[in-house]
Amino acid sequence: MADLERSQDFYHGAFGYLAKGTGVLRAEDDGGRVGESWMMPDGMTARFAVVGPARCDSCLLRIVEFDAPGQPIWDDLPAGKVIGHYALNIRVPEIHTGWERIVAAGGRIKSPPTHWHLSDGSAWDSQIYDPDGILIDAWSVEGEIAERLGAAMDPASELQTMALHVGDAVRSKEFYLGFGYGVLYDQQVKGLEEFFGVPDGVVMHNVNLIMEHTPVGRMEMSQYLGHPGIEVKPRAVPPNHGILSVTFEAGDLPSASAHVVDLGAEPIGGPATYAVLPYGQVAASTFFGPDGEMVEIFERIG
C-alpha cells in the first residue's frame, strides 16, 4: 500500500473493517530472517495493520506500507493476463447496496454487478479497485450455495476467498487440496468475456475450494482456457502495491513446511519470528506456490 491510513479508511468505509492490531517490521529483524522471508531489501521497514469485521479473528486482511516508493503490480498487464494472486473476494449481503458503499468509500469501478449461474445456484458479482489498484471482487449468492455458505454478514464478511489466476487449474487445485481443502465447485464458465475483460470465446475454468469447518478463507483458482497469462512473481515483491501473499496458520510449522514442499512449494525464507496482532508472537516461513504466488505459514509461539 502507498498509504496505510488511507487504506484503513477505505476498508472501514467499504466493509466496516476495524483494526485488530498494528505493528512494524524491519528487514534486519530476527537476524535478517524477516527480510529474507518477506523479500525485503536490507534497511527496509514495513508498517502494517491487520483489519477485518469486529467479530472475526480469522480470514483477516493485513495491509502493509513500506518505507520506500513502489509501483502497482498489475498496471501495464492486459486484462486476464495475470498469473498469481489476483483479487480479494468479499461477500456482501446485497450486491447493489454493497457495491454502492464500496464506490462511495473511494473504490474505482472495473465491472458493475453482473449475474451469473453456478452449478448450485447463482451469484451477483462486481469488481472494484481499492485506492492502490488492488482488485476487490464483491459478491452475493442465491440458491443452494447460499445455504451452504450461511447467512451473509452486515455490512460485509471477513475475507471469503483469495483469488488466483493460474496457468493450470488442475495442478493448482491439487496443490491446495493438500492443505486440507475440499471442492466447493469445479466448473467451466462461459459468456463473461465483458465482465472479465478477455477476448470473445474465452472460457474460464473456475475452481473454488473450501474447508469443511468454515465457509470463509477459501481459495479460488481461475484459468482462462486458450488465453495464457504472465506470472507476476517478479513484480509481487516489496515495496510494490498489490497482493503479496496469502497466510495460513499451522499447529506445527516444521511439519507444515515439510508438507507443502512435498506438495511442490518452493521455499523462500524463514522461519522468522515476529509479533503480529491479534495472533501474538509467531514463527513464519514463506514459499512460492505453483504459479509463483507467495504462501506464508505461521505458528503461534507466544
Side-chain angles (χ1 to χ4, degrees), residues 12 15-20 51-58 60 153-158:
H12 178 68
F15 302 112
Y17 281 9
L18 303 175
K20 303 285 185 168
V51 301
R55 53 195 177 278
C56 298
D57 287 321
S58 64
L60 306 176
M153 295 173 63
D154 188 18
S157 72
E158 60 268 65

Side-chain angles (χ1 to χ4, degrees), residues 10 20 44 61 131 188 270 279 291-292:
F10 169 78
K20 303 285 185 168
M44 182 172 285
L61 178 64
Q188 293 191 8
Y279 307 111
D291 290 281

Side-chain angles (χ1 to χ4, degrees), residues 155-217:
S157 72
E158 60 268 65
L159 190 61
Q160 287 260 334
T161 313
M162 285 293 297
L164 289 167
H165 276 184
V166 301
D168 184 333
V170 174
R171 177 192 64 184
S172 295
K173 178 177 77 171
E174 291 303 315
F175 177 77
Y176 286 102
L177 285 175
F179 283 56
Y181 284 102
V183 177
L184 179 63
Y185 56 80
D186 182 342
Q187 62 185 352
Q188 293 191 8
V189 183
K190 301 178 181 179
L192 289 173
E193 295 92 335
E194 183 178 354
F195 182 79
F196 289 111
V198 295
D200 289 346
V202 170
V203 176
M204 180 178 68
H205 185 182
N206 185 239
V207 179
N208 200 297
L209 304 183
I210 188 170
M211 290 287 184
E212 182 178 350
H213 62 283
T214 178
V216 298

Side-chain angles (χ1 to χ4, degrees), residues 70-140:
Q71 299 297 320
I73 292 171
W74 305 290
D75 254 14
D76 58 345
L77 292 177
K81 284 293 186 179
V82 171
I83 297 293
H85 291 306
Y86 180 66
L88 307 174
N89 292 357
I90 299 172
R91 185 180 178 189
V92 295
E94 196 282 315
I95 188 64
H96 298 287
T97 303
W99 185 73
E100 290 170 0
R101 179 173 178 151
I102 300 166
V103 172
R108 178 166 52 89
I109 300 168
K110 179 178 184 288
S111 301
T114 302
H115 195 243
W116 51 300
H117 293 282
L118 305 172
S119 57
D120 53 357
S122 63
W124 280 97
D125 213 352
S126 65
Q127 295 188 325
I128 305 102
Y129 294 105
D130 82 355
D132 290 282
I134 294 171
L135 188 61
I136 297 167
D137 193 306
W139 53 274
S140 61

Side-chain angles (χ1 to χ4, degrees), residues 224-236:
Y224 293 118
L225 302 176
H227 187 61
I230 301 166
E231 275 197 7
V232 296
K233 177 181 176 180
R235 304 167 179 235

